Amino acid sequence: MQRRHHAYRGIVAAAVGGVFTLTTLTAAQAAPAPLTDPAKAVAIADRLGNKRTAGVYYRDERLVVAVTDQAAAETVRSAGAVAEVVPHSTAELNSANGLSP
């Protein structure tokens, strides 16, 4: 009886290890290449609109798109850019400065 118990534990460990390995490979394969074209970053910000973004800039040689919500941040990350969630959008900042949104 004890012998079967040890054999069972080995199968579970192998199965768990196999799932972990497959999950790791899938996540690595799904990662987008870093976005390096500023025009593409601006296009992403334009597509999200002035109410959900607050500019595009470089930080540590990576393009950053400032966004106002997590859904917009996921869109930016899936394109390969860095997303920074900020409290105010371009539209809000322009409105505060008396500019049209």
Side-chain angles (χ1 to χ4, degrees), residues 8-42:
Y8 178 72
R9 290 175 78 191
I11 292 169
V12 171
V16 171
V19 171
F20 178 76
T21 302
L22 292 175
T23 301
T24 302
L25 291 175
T26 302
Q29 291 170 347
L35 185 65
T36 59
D37 185 354
K40 289 182 180 179
V42 170

Side-chain angles (χ1 to χ4, degrees), residues 44-66:
I44 293 168
D46 287 345
R47 189 173 70 234
L48 290 169
N50 285 343
K51 292 183 180 181
R52 296 181 70 199
T53 61
V56 176
Y57 61 93
Y58 279 100
R59 178 178 53 209
D60 300 326
E61 299 181 19
R62 294 281 318 264
L63 281 166
V64 177
V65 180

Side-chain angles (χ1 to χ4, degrees), residues 48-53 68-69 88-92 101:
L48 290 169
N50 285 343
K51 292 183 180 181
R52 296 181 70 199
T53 61
T68 58
D69 60 74
H88 302 288
S89 68
T90 298
E92 291 172 323

